[in-house]
């Protein structure tokens, strides 16, 4: 179990603030489309077996099933949620993920989305999601994943994909889709030779070496769909 | 009677959660509220945030709630569950960094003796 001393306080406010309908705000989560959410859900459902196999090798084998459950839940609210303002949409997605995915990934992806929801509240309402704004939201999400997992890059986790892909996204105000995809792919490949120090795989020690991390694999899948959507929307 | 600290046992396995509660009961009887939560809603192995939250709410005490967890997901899902409680409650729920069975027994004996939440947590963690 991880050391709990001296850790920063987890983000709390975003988790329980009820969103009252605000007549001043535009009604839609501009740029967050049902197509994106459904495409990401489809990708995770198609990858269920592959993610399961990866997690069986170095974890408890539930990552494919957990993400598929989350994907179905997200797809189920996609049409509805994109009609709401972005902070509320992201908050509802985060809560849905937390309450449906379970496992270790639920709180990590859920915290990511809840932190993105909080960050979205500081953006001008109705602002379309361009690459710099996506980078700001993503950075808040990545910080939340680090806090929740008490982890960082190099521990053979989803952070090994999330962090380099964010760096590629932040490197230019214009979307360099290929660079972001390449960074995610390289990050995923990089988890192969790593020795896990977090999660169930950490119990395997050196035996975790040579396997891709399942959380990094699902993160790469999701990033690819997000980048597709931003690219299509510009 | 003054309020006592309650215990929540969170395991990936319903069997482990149940068994740990049985062991605690054998040690301290009915002096404190103890509830086990294990597995997912469909009965499979894992942890589930809403189930954990409901378990905490079912034994909530003004003296506080000590949560014992097994592996990673149990801990992070418990954190999320605590953050979803009303703020005044969340401040009185703490996760113990301790082995689940040993920690539960130590925490329960402290709680049954009337110790406060901090002392209960320390008893579990220092074992
Ligand atoms: Mg797993």
């Amino acid at each position: 179990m991880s050391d709990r001393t001296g850790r920063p306080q987890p983000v709390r406010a975003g988790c329980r603030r009820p969103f009252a309908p605000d007549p001043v705000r535009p009604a839609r989560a501009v740029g967050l489309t049902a197509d994106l959410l459904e495409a990401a859900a489809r990708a995770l459902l198609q990858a269920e077996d592959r993610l399961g196999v990866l997690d069986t090798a170095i974890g408890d084998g539930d990552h494919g099933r957990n993400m598929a459950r989350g994907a179905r839940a997200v797809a189920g609210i996609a049409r509805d949620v994109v009609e709401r303002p972005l902070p509320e949409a992201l908050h509802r997605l985060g809560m849905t993920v937390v309450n449906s995915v379970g496992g270790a990934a639920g709180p990590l992806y859920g915290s990511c989305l809840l932190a993105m929801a909080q960050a979205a509240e500081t953006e001008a309402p109705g602002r379309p999601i361009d690459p710099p704004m996506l980078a700001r939201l993503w950075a808040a999400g990545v910080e939340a994943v680090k806090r929740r997992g008490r982890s960082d890059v190099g521990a053979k986790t989803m952070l090994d994909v999330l962090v380099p892909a964010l760096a590629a996204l932040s490197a230019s105000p214009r979307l360099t889709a290929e660079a972001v995809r390449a960074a995610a792919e390289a990050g995923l490949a990089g988890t192969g030779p790593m020795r896990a120090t977090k999660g169930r795989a950490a119990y395997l020690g050196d035996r975790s070496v040579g396997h891709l991390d399942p959380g990094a694999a699902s993160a790469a899948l999701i990033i690819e769909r997000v980048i597709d959507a931003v690219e299509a929307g510009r | 009677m003054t309020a006592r600290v309650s215990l929540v046992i969170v395991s990936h396995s319903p069997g482990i959660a149940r068994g740990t509660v049985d062991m605690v009961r054998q040690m301290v009887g009915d002096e404190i509220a103890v509830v086990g939560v294990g597995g997912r809603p469909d009965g499979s192995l894992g942890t589930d945030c809403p189930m954990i939250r409901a378990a905490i709410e079912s034994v909530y005490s003004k003296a506080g709630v000590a949560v014992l967890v097994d592996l990673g997901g149990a801990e992070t899902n418990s954190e999320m569950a605590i953050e979803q409680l009303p703020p005044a409650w969340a401040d009185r729920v703490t996760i113990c960094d301790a082995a689940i069975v040993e920690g539960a027994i130590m925490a329960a004996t402290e709680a049954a003796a009337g110790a406060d939440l901090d002392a209960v947590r320390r008893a579990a963690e220092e074992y």
Side-chain angles (χ1 to χ4, degrees), chain B residues 65-68 82 90-96 117-118 121 125:
Chain B
V65 180
V67 182
L68 279 299
I82 292 167
D91 291 343
R92 290 189 202 139
V93 182
T94 189
I95 301 173
C96 304
L117 181 60
D118 207 46
R121 183 183 53 74
E125 293 183 352

Side-chain angles (χ1 to χ4, degrees), chain A residues 115-137:
Chain A
M116 291 175 87
Q118 271 195 318
E121 292 204 60
T122 68
E123 302 285 343
R127 187 185 196 284
I129 306 175
D130 57 8
M133 178 174 166
L134 178 62
R136 287 193 294 276
L137 301 183

Side-chain angles (χ1 to χ4, degrees), chain A residues 2 4 7 103 148 150, chain B residues 40 75 77 79 83 97:
Chain A
S2 50
R4 205 171 280 98
R7 67 173 174 187
R148 180 70 63 195
R150 294 185 272 288
Chain B
R40 298 200 39 83
E75 184 183 16
N77 271 304
E79 286 177 4
E83 289 166 24
D97 190 0

Side-chain angles (χ1 to χ4, degrees), chain B residues 78-113:
Chain B
S78 295
E79 286 177 4
M80 299 291 306
I82 292 167
E83 289 166 24
Q84 288 172 26
L85 296 170
W89 283 31
D91 291 343
R92 290 189 202 139
V93 182
T94 189
I95 301 173
C96 304
D97 190 0
I100 188 165
V101 176
E102 292 87 337
I105 300 290
M106 293 307 296
T109 48
E110 279 301 295

Side-chain angles (χ1 to χ4, degrees), chain B residues 2 5 7-9 13 15 19 22 24-25 30 42 51 54 60 63 65 68 79 85 90 96-97 104 110 112 120-121:
Chain B
T2 51
V5 173
L7 252 60
V8 175
I9 316 291
S13 153
D22 289 345
V24 166
R25 283 264 166 262
D30 293 327
D42 64 5
M51 283 171 68
Y60 181 78
V65 180
L68 279 299
E79 286 177 4
L85 296 170
C96 304
D97 190 0
E110 279 301 295
V120 168
R121 183 183 53 74

